[in-house]
Amino acid sequence: MNFKFLKPFITLAIAVSVQLSAQTDVPKYSYTEAFKPFFYQNNATETRSASGQPGHKYWQNSADYILNATLNDSKNEISGSSEIIYTNNSYDDLSFLWLQLDQNLFKKDSRGNAVVPLAGNRNGAHGQEFDGGYTIKSIEILSSNGKKLNINPTYTISDTRMQIDLPQDLKAKGGVIKFVINYSFVSPNYGSDRMGVEATKNGKIFTIAQWFPRMCVYDDQMGWNTLPYLGAGEFYLEYGDVTANLTVPANHFVVASGELLNPKEVYSNDQNKKWEQARNSEKTVLIRSAAEVNAAAKTSATTKTWKFKIENTRDFAWASSSAFILDAAKINLPSGKKSLAISAYPVESDGNDSWGRSTEYTKAAIEHYSKKWYEYTYPTAVNVAGNEGGMEYPGIVFCHMDSKGADLWGVTDHEFGHNWFPMIVGSNERLYAWMDEGLNTFINDISGKEFNKGEYHTAKSLQMMAPAFNNDNMEPIMTAPDNLKERNLGFLGYYKPAAGMQMLRENILGEERFDKGLREYIKRWAFKHPTPNDFFRTMENVAGEELNWFWRGWFLNKWKIDQAVKSAKYVNGDFTNGVVIKIENIGQLPMPVNIDIKFKDGTTQNVKLPVEIWKRTSEWSFEVPTTKEIVTVQLDPKGSLPDANPTDNILKMESGIAETITLSDYIGTYSSKQIPLKIALKQEGKKLMAQADGQNAFPLEYDGGGKFSFTMAGIELEFAKDKKSFILLQGGQKFTFTKD
């Protein structure tokens, strides 16, 4: 799913209030606690290696589906049958099966509805009154362990799960059972922001997901994984092949996971020619235009059946509408294979500033991730405009029809990034949101830098996120999505784990070792079920680095990063003899050290120190040979760490020449033509204070040369010589303000 990063001034607004609470009663750094051994509680097993690889007897069960469904567009109802071929590759005989009935979330008495707060949230059906949930019409076991049966078994439905009792045990190490479930359900208009029905002037858009009974995962960690679907936690699914026959009104067009098997039956000759053109085109080819959509019939008394197939998949989703504009372009893959980027959207979303660029975005995202991490495995990648903020499925994603420009690029890139986490790397989303959302958010930033030379990319300083990351009201990253405060999910599922990956890549391992480790992790666990330890062990083994101090602090606990410059003294009081710098690790989580030493002549010297300096002490002194007078010593000069208290990260050396300023020269109200914001500057005592519209005032420190700063939020103000305007710098962005 999709959460947006906080805008710079929203971050500023929370910086003061949250920063203060984050600093109360900070636990003292303990090097023995940070670096204590025995992080991994379980040694190697036959199924999982100590190196992070699948073990020599790793197994997982599989589930193939033959799905038949009919859409009643007037009732928003899906009626269908799901034939499931389930293979038990475990070492256990199974006397019953568990399945997920996710549509039951939308029953009035569901557990998921019971935990929706009075204020509402994105989960559930937003108060829609309708008869939600599955109607299970029949279940029949066709065969088991190689024998035909034709038995109607007993079954029990418990909220979003169903247990089927087997007439005979499903044998271990290869037992196969085939059974069919006949069912129906009414789709919610807004299905927990993951599926739904959206009305447009040319007909409804149906985005259909969690629409058939799916096997629960039986694994070597928990046996049956049967956590209920409450809305916040996503999914954990077995892999297999899916064939789907989807019967819809004849005026509808259907897009879905996988390959369309009968294009000649559902498209015109002219449209099929355009599809062939698109398969060989770098540029977007229009298959069905806005004019065709507007001129087409809005209703139909007849139906068409669309047939799709996708292999080695954890799920299947689809969309159907008479309102779809369709376009497509070729996707180039590193092996020389091709895939096809497809977009389906209504006329309301048409235009080059909107969904007209969707296929371009889809193609760019898939090609980038395929080249950088692991090759895309499906024949198509479909972007559908619906009423979801953004939701991902194998080979198809749903993004909001009103998204455009940077927002559409961001949500498209994010949802297709999910094809790697968790579509290829099949982690347990119900328990570990960070293993898909966090890793995906991290790779999205790299993708954004590359797309069209960074057309939509904005550099984000992790220091700007420090107030939120260090808020004492946050749970640890490892907390399950259903077990944390709803307002914290964006930070703990997405941004904080992504920040952890960024720090690993930029501050700890370096790009080469990190990228090699992540590629190996994807390769090892492609279409398998890794746990957090499998990721941790793989990164350590590939990079050759002890990282348990980082996993323990950033993921299992909510330890703060807080480094400080204690002092800087010239050797024998003479700067030509060099300088001795003392630094301190105050926060519980140690990190490597990056220091800039700025000299009076305008030059800078950078010093890097490894995390091992903190293995036996909380303070460290080191000498820097230099013959020049120092102006400042600054830790983490680029704001690449979310330091809990950045005010002690910089030490200003005393100089023989003092610059005097008159604060009253800077007082006034300043406006910008770039953003709708006013900033008032006023003097309080010996401080210049700044206050943006509707926000708390904050103090500015004078840095010399007409420059002021508020290091806590990474803000700098550079005044013109006449003091009638200034440039505000924050997070790599610049805004010009002029005195009113």
Side-chain angles (χ1 to χ4, degrees), residues 465-478:
M465 303 298 288
F469 291 163
N470 293 314
N471 187 343
D472 289 329
N473 291 322
M474 289 282 180
E475 301 88 353
I477 289 175
M478 203 67 79

Side-chain angles (χ1 to χ4, degrees), residues 409-475:
W409 157 256
V411 68
T412 300
D413 183 51
H414 179 82
E415 303 311 337
F416 278 116
H418 273 302
N419 196 81
W420 282 261
F421 309 104
M423 306 308 162
I424 291 175
V425 182
S427 57
N428 186 343
E429 300 175 276
R430 195 66 55 86
L431 283 178
Y432 310 114
W434 70 267
M435 291 188 73
D436 70 295
E437 297 293 1
L439 287 170
N440 184 32
T441 301
F442 164 73
I443 65 174
N444 297 158
D445 187 63
I446 300 172
S447 175
K449 290 176 185 176
E450 182 173 297
F451 174 67
N452 205 17
K453 299 180 180 179
E455 177 180 357
Y456 298 123
H457 186 263
T458 301
K460 302 177 184 74
S461 163
L462 292 188
Q463 182 55 62
M464 292 174 59
M465 303 298 288
F469 291 163
N470 293 314
N471 187 343
D472 289 329
N473 291 322
M474 289 282 180
E475 301 88 353

Side-chain angles (χ1 to χ4, degrees), residues 6 25 45 61 87 183 208 246 254 349 445 477 510 567 631 639 657 666:
L6 296 178
D25 300 323
T45 67
N61 294 347
T87 304
Y183 64 92
I208 309 299
L246 309 172
V254 176
S349 304
D445 187 63
I477 289 175
S567 63
V631 177
I657 303 175
Y666 301 90

Side-chain angles (χ1 to χ4, degrees), residues 42 48 101 227 252 296 461 468 497 621 691:
N42 298 312
R48 295 175 192 267
L101 301 182
L227 285 176
H252 275 218
S461 163
S621 297
Q691 186 169 20

Side-chain angles (χ1 to χ4, degrees), residues 151-261:
I151 290 175
N152 299 113
T154 59
Y155 62 90
T156 304
I157 294 176
S158 175
D159 197 55
T160 58
R161 295 77 47 90
M162 176 169 66
Q163 185 184 55
I164 299 177
D165 295 317
L166 302 181
Q168 57 183 244
D169 285 357
L170 181 61
K171 296 302 183 183
K173 294 186 287 186
V176 178
I177 187 171
K178 182 188 293 187
F179 60 103
V180 63
I181 303 174
N182 293 293
Y183 64 92
S184 66
F185 68 90
V186 175
S187 174
N189 291 331
Y190 180 89
S192 210
D193 204 24
R194 304 185 193 281
M195 59 170 295
V197 184
E198 179 71 14
T200 75
K201 68 179 184 179
N202 289 305
K204 298 175 183 176
I205 294 176
F206 293 86
T207 43
I208 309 299
Q210 293 87 57
W211 62 282
F212 60 97
R214 301 176 297 179
M215 295 300 305
C216 291
V217 172
Y218 188 82
D219 64 18
D220 63 323
Q221 300 294 297
M222 292 292 295
W224 287 110
N225 287 260
T226 58
L227 285 176
Y229 177 39
L230 302 178
E234 293 187 281
F235 309 104
Y236 187 32
L237 302 164
E238 296 287 17
Y239 288 95
D241 300 338
V242 176
T243 300
N245 305 304
L246 309 172
T247 300
V248 301
N251 64 324
H252 275 218
F253 288 79
V254 176
V255 289
S257 298
E259 179 184 5
L260 178 64
L261 301 179

Side-chain angles (χ1 to χ4, degrees), residues 47-66:
T47 55
R48 295 175 192 267
S49 166
S51 69
Q53 302 182 68
H56 64 282
K57 288 188 177 180
Y58 175 83
W59 57 266
Q60 66 188 51
N61 294 347
S62 66
D64 301 327
Y65 299 87
I66 300 173

Side-chain angles (χ1 to χ4, degrees), residues 48 52 63 68 102 190 231 287 413 472 576 603 607 643 676:
R48 295 175 192 267
N68 294 282
D102 297 310
Y190 180 89
I287 310 297
D413 183 51
D472 289 329
T576 62
T603 61
V607 176
D643 194 293

